[in-house]
Amino acid sequence: MGYATVLLEARPYRPFKSSEEYLYAMREDLAEWLNTMYPELRINVDNFMDRLDTGVALCKPVG
């Protein structure tokens, strides 16, 4: 029985000084991930909430 190998990008552990820093880092990571799935969104950390405000963008089929 074969097993699939999944390689994950190593990311350094980043301690955060505040919840604001943590939320900013989460928006960065989520924007990067969403851009992979929905490149037409052109989402980034600065427009993250505006692009996802209504949720309509996430209801569209991927691909």
Side-chain angles (χ1 to χ4, degrees):
M1 174 178 271
Y3 292 96
T5 302
V6 177
L7 298 176
L8 300 176
E9 177 184 344
R11 294 191 180 212
Y13 172 73
R14 297 184 289 179
F16 300 102
K17 295 178 184 172
S18 68
S19 59
E20 289 80 21
E21 284 184 6
Y22 176 75
L23 289 174
Y24 187 88
M26 290 300 295
R27 282 196 309 267
E28 281 181 320
D29 291 345
L30 287 170
E32 181 181 332
W33 178 70
L34 286 167
N35 271 320
T36 301
M37 293 178 56
Y38 301 94
E40 68 278 1
L41 280 180
R42 295 181 304 249
I43 195 168
N44 61 48
V45 72
D46 297 320
N47 67 12
F48 186 83
M49 296 307 287
D50 292 331
R51 297 278 191 208
L52 301 177
D53 187 33
T54 64
V56 171
L58 299 179
C59 293
K60 295 178 184 177
V62 176

